[in-house]
Amino acid sequence: MIQRMHGAARGWRILFALVGWAGLIAQYVLLLKGGTRSVLGSTVVFFSYFTILTNVVVALALTAPALFPDSRLGRWTATEGVRAAVAMYIAVVGIVYHALLAATWNPQGALAVVNQILHTVMPIAFVLDWLLFVPKGRLRWIDPAKWLTYPLLYGLWTAIHGQIVGWYPYWFIDIGALGWSPALVNFAALLALFLILGLIVVALDRALSALGKGDSSLTPS
């Protein structure tokens, strides 16, 4: 049973790693083709989106344990805490997009397909990965507070970069358009969402542990 579950996890991760990397590459190519900035400027803009950065993390967290399980990155991304945090981050990507951003634009053609991969398919795929294949019962209630480091660093980068170039990736944290106070209030609300979802993840981890869920063969030695 353990070997069967391990094989399912590896197959799942390879499949969605391919989907994730394909979506990221396609999004980058479409940005270069449709943009008016230089390659360098377009690249900086590309990696200024939380969606892109988090999908890169997701793709790495799927690829490394499946293909390079003995590498430092493979062992680190296979740990329960890392996978839980990444599941929470990408869940926020999907929630925020569908709640706040989906109604503000209408992508067509290839862009619409890529958009769904990054905002819908990958969030669902990685959350299911965490639910189905990751050992449960080892998360702590303090972990969600620690997981806020990543969005806090992203917010700091966004504020600094935005002040320098006068551009922000998302309307709800656009300091130039909204002003500091509304933008900071919106960002604080986002941090609260991260924290709440993190606590839900820990609660699920505890509950699923009690039911004996999760594949212990995936735990790095």
Side-chain angles (χ1 to χ4, degrees):
M1 179 66 179
I2 288 178
Q3 282 301 112
R4 194 157 57 245
M5 177 66 79
H6 188 278
R10 187 169 185 268
W12 179 275
R13 290 172 182 175
I14 291 173
L15 170 63
F16 285 104
L18 290 171
V19 173
W21 287 120
L24 287 164
I25 292 169
Q27 179 67 77
Y28 182 65
V29 171
L30 290 169
L31 179 64
L32 290 178
K33 289 177 64 176
T36 58
R37 298 178 176 89
S38 66
V39 172
L40 177 59
S42 294
T43 302
V44 172
V45 165
F46 183 72
F47 287 107
S48 294
Y49 285 96
F50 189 83
T51 293
I52 297 300
L53 293 172
T54 307
N55 270 279
V56 170
V57 172
V58 164
L60 287 171
L62 291 168
T63 303
L67 299 183
F68 312 104
D70 296 324
S71 67
R72 182 176 298 180
L73 181 62
R75 293 194 300 270
W76 183 65
T77 54
T79 60
E80 295 90 339
V82 170
R83 301 200 77 77
V86 175
M88 183 265 286
Y89 298 144
I90 196 65
V92 171
V93 167
I95 291 169
V96 170
Y97 173 76
H98 288 287
L100 298 178
L101 300 173
T104 64
W105 75 316
N106 184 30
Q108 301 294 320
L111 186 59
V113 174
V114 171
N115 185 63
Q116 288 303 314
I117 289 174
L118 299 180
H119 292 104
T120 305
V121 174
M122 297 311 296
I124 291 173
F126 200 88
V127 169
L128 285 175
D129 178 280
W130 178 76
L131 286 170
L132 295 172
F133 304 127
V134 177
K136 304 298 188 297
R138 302 183 186 182
L139 301 181
R140 300 167 297 167
W141 290 110
I142 191 62
D143 288 336
K146 295 181 178 180
W147 297 341
L148 294 180
T149 302
Y150 171 48
L152 280 169
L153 289 174
Y154 174 78
L156 180 62
W157 153 253
T158 300
I160 294 172
H161 177 249
Q163 289 292 291
I164 293 173
V165 303
W167 175 85
Y168 296 85
Y170 302 108
W171 65 263
F172 48 84
I173 53 172
D174 188 335
I175 297 170
L178 300 175
W180 278 96
S181 294
L184 287 175
V185 168
N186 289 341
F187 187 68
L190 277 177
L191 288 179
L193 175 61
F194 278 106
L195 184 60
I196 291 168
L197 283 180
L199 292 171
I200 290 172
V201 166
V202 175
L204 281 172
D205 176 78
R206 300 279 177 109
L208 291 172
S209 175
L211 296 174
K213 302 298 182 181
D215 181 3
S216 61
S217 72
L218 297 179
T219 308
S221 57

